[in-house]
Amino acid sequence: MENFNFYSPTEFVFGKGRAAETGHFVKKYGGTKVLIHYGGGSAVKSGLIGIVKKSLDEAGIQYCELGGVQPNPRDTLVYKGIDLCRNEGVDFILAVGGGSVIDSAKGIAIGVPYNGDFWDMYCGKAPEKALPVATVLTIAAAGSEGSGDSVITKEDGMLKRAVGSDHLRPKFSVMDPALTQTLPAYQTACGATDIMAHVFERYFTNTKEVEITDRLCEAVLITMVKEAPRVIADPDNYDARANIMWAGMVAHNNIVGVGRQQDWNSHGLEHELSGLYDVAHGAGLAVIMPSWMEYVYKHNVLRFCQMATRVFGCQMNFENPEVTALEGIHRFRSFLHSIGMPINFAELGAKEEDIPVLVEKIGIGDGKFGGFMELDRNDVTEIYRIAAHASL
Ligand code: NZQ
Ligand code: ZN
């Protein structure tokens, strides 16, 4: 295991009806004037925004609001939010929604105190400070409620880029699984896929002797294989929703990834798909991740056998381990398909002829990227090709 620091200061406020306590927690963490940031309307329609406002009123906290965050959140709204916060004297950002809303809120939070273009931080500059951010989560997926990451798309060129900093870890996150019961099945499945992908990005590693994080990863994956089909079949199943919601946080606040090298190539490849076609991140991952696995499994066949046997219940073929590894990948793709995810370019709405554009946008030039297995532009092209034609 490698040396590590693990800093996860977020207070998680978990359970039914907890959004009514939002004002109390804003006060606890020093907010006096809040920006309530939300998406395209689901949080208004469900009555959640009303509950949050009432709770802020009761705590004597002032607020202004900015809705309209789109999935794959855009820089244009972040600029608007930064101006609004400066004009209104906002000192605390409250994201009410999913990963897109939270990431947009984090973009605003680093932009307000920064004397320059906030986009600098999505091009490699390290954030030095940020306004405090908190979340009321409405979808289990991105894990942004517990992570220090934010992913924003620059509308000019549809460039999707990320920043990571402990300044962006939420002060608190309200996590009420019942709030996710209004999700369409497709979004639930996209979220489940993203959660599993966050674990796999950490699971496939070259670091040896990482039994504890291997086992934690497997626990999250096995939970998702069990619970995702339950909520697709029965959207009001609170207990299954609760397990998934906590799994989503655990998958990405890095507790399952500390002390080990991580990969993140599938996310790198996917971000170009959701950037170019404006599709859901989880759907893009369903197409990319099993294809990436098929391309790289020979790098460490036994690690793929471990996934196959421990997570997907495959029988180990000791004479020919590759058979087991491939069976595990096949079961993963079949699972994704069974919960309604696309598995190839056509089902996602992507085009094979755009592969050179996708490869160019990744911006690796003549270099390589990734952790488990480093990839150059030829490797990336090949993975996109596998993804274009994947079938069951
Ligand atoms: O906009 P509204 O009307 O709220 O609708 C949203 C949106 O259309 C809807 N929705 C959310 N909660 C709902 C609901 N509909 C009904 N009932 C509810 N309770 O769901 C749609 C998708 O929402 P979005 O926030 O985009 O989903 P998600 O949480 O999957 O976030 C995706 C974004 O997060 C980024 C992705 O790249 C993508 O841009 N990621 C962020 C990460 C991070 N910050 O740590 C890590 C991830 O790997 C990921 O890249
Ligand atoms: Zn993700």
Side-chain angles (χ1 to χ4, degrees):
M1 199 186 291
E2 297 170 0
N3 292 356
F4 64 87
N5 287 14
F6 181 59
Y7 177 71
S8 177
T10 307
E11 180 164 359
F12 296 102
V13 182
F14 194 98
K16 246 180 219 167
R18 305 295 308 267
E21 297 170 49
T22 305
H24 163 78
F25 285 99
V26 170
K27 202 169 195 172
K28 175 173 174 181
Y29 288 100
T32 61
K33 178 85 190 259
V34 172
L35 173 72
I36 306 173
H37 200 35
Y38 55 92
S42 73
V44 176
K45 206 168 134 199
S46 68
L48 177 59
I49 293 291
I51 292 168
V52 167
K53 284 183 181 171
K54 183 164 176 272
S55 155
L56 291 173
D57 285 336
E58 283 166 2
I61 291 160
Q62 290 184 297
Y63 51 82
C64 54
E65 54 190 289
L66 179 64
V69 180
Q70 295 166 251
N72 300 315
R74 308 298 205 269
D75 62 334
T76 40
L77 195 69
V78 174
Y79 289 116
K80 213 167 158 182
I82 293 169
D83 285 345
L84 179 64
C85 288
R86 286 178 180 159
N87 292 338
E88 295 278 336
V90 164
D91 58 15
F92 198 100
I93 319 273
L94 182 64
V96 183
S100 295
V101 173
I102 301 172
D103 286 3
S104 182
K106 289 176 175 177
I108 295 169
I110 39 177
V112 173
Y114 180 59
N115 195 14
D117 186 347
F118 91 97
W119 188 250
D120 294 347
M121 255 76 72
Y122 292 76
C123 300
K125 190 174 165 54
E128 285 170 10
K129 52 184 167 176
L131 288 187
V133 175
T135 84
V136 180
L137 186 66
T138 62
I139 169 172
S144 193
E145 69 278 9
S147 83
D149 303 333
S150 161
V151 188
I152 300 290
T153 299
K154 191 177 183 58
E155 211 152 281
D156 182 11
M158 291 301 276
L159 273 184
K160 195 170 182 183
R161 294 291 177 262
V163 61
S165 163
D166 281 337
H167 293 299
L168 294 180
R169 289 196 184 256
K171 296 291 173 212
F172 71 87
S173 283
V174 174
M175 301 175 69
D176 177 353
L179 295 176
T180 68
Q181 286 172 202
T182 51
L183 278 166
Y186 186 77
Q187 282 300 337
T188 296
C190 287
T193 307
D194 195 19
I195 292 167
M196 294 181 79
H198 291 164
V199 176
F200 280 133
E201 297 281 17
R202 295 167 164 103
Y203 191 69
F204 292 104
T205 183
N206 296 305
T207 311
K208 304 264 188 295
E209 300 287 358
V210 283
E211 182 70 5
I212 175 64
T213 41
D214 267 7
R215 293 292 184 175
L216 289 171
C217 284
E218 287 155 6
V220 177
L221 292 165
I222 292 166
T223 299
M224 294 308 299
V225 170
K226 174 167 182 257
E227 301 292 31
R230 281 178 85 201
V231 291
I232 302 286
D234 176 14
D236 292 335
N237 188 324
Y238 177 86
D239 292 314
R241 292 271 185 201
N243 279 297
I244 290 179
M245 196 172 227
W246 192 241
M249 203 298 295
V250 171
H252 198 45
N253 86 331
N254 211 26
I255 196 160
V256 304
V258 292
R260 52 199 286 150
Q261 177 203 42
Q262 304 182 9
D263 188 64
W264 295 99
N265 271 338
S266 296
H267 268 69
L269 269 69
E270 192 297 310
H271 280 166
E272 301 312 332
L273 283 176
S274 47
L276 189 64
Y277 301 111
D278 207 7
V279 293
H281 170 61
L285 285 168
V287 173
I288 290 294
M289 192 148 235
S291 306
W292 169 84
M293 289 178 173
E294 278 172 354
Y295 190 74
V296 305
Y297 78 95
K298 287 187 180 159
H299 179 71
N300 187 343
V301 174
L302 291 182
R303 182 148 279 277
F304 277 90
C305 290
Q306 184 176 305
M307 168 195 85
T309 54
R310 292 187 186 173
V311 178
F312 292 105
C314 300
Q315 285 294 316
M316 182 66 197
N317 184 330
F318 290 99
E319 273 162 29
N320 191 352
E322 282 197 24
V323 171
T324 310
L326 286 170
E327 175 62 20
I329 298 167
H330 175 72
R331 288 201 194 180
F332 177 40
R333 186 180 271 135
S334 301
F335 169 78
L336 295 172
H337 190 252
S338 75
I339 59 170
M341 285 289 91
I343 54 160
N344 56 37
F345 268 30
E347 290 180 13
L348 184 68
K351 297 193 196 102
E352 191 174 5
E353 59 265 32
D354 288 339
I355 289 177
V357 180
L358 293 163
V359 174
E360 208 49 50
K361 285 183 90 176
I362 289 184
I364 43 176
D366 293 329
K368 291 186 169 199
F369 80 136
F372 177 65
M373 192 177 127
E374 288 196 319
L375 304 178
D376 63 19
R377 51 191 301 131
N378 294 329
D379 299 317
V380 167
T381 303
E382 208 39 54
I383 293 168
Y384 279 132
R385 277 211 194 105
I386 295 172
H389 297 282
S391 62
L392 289 178

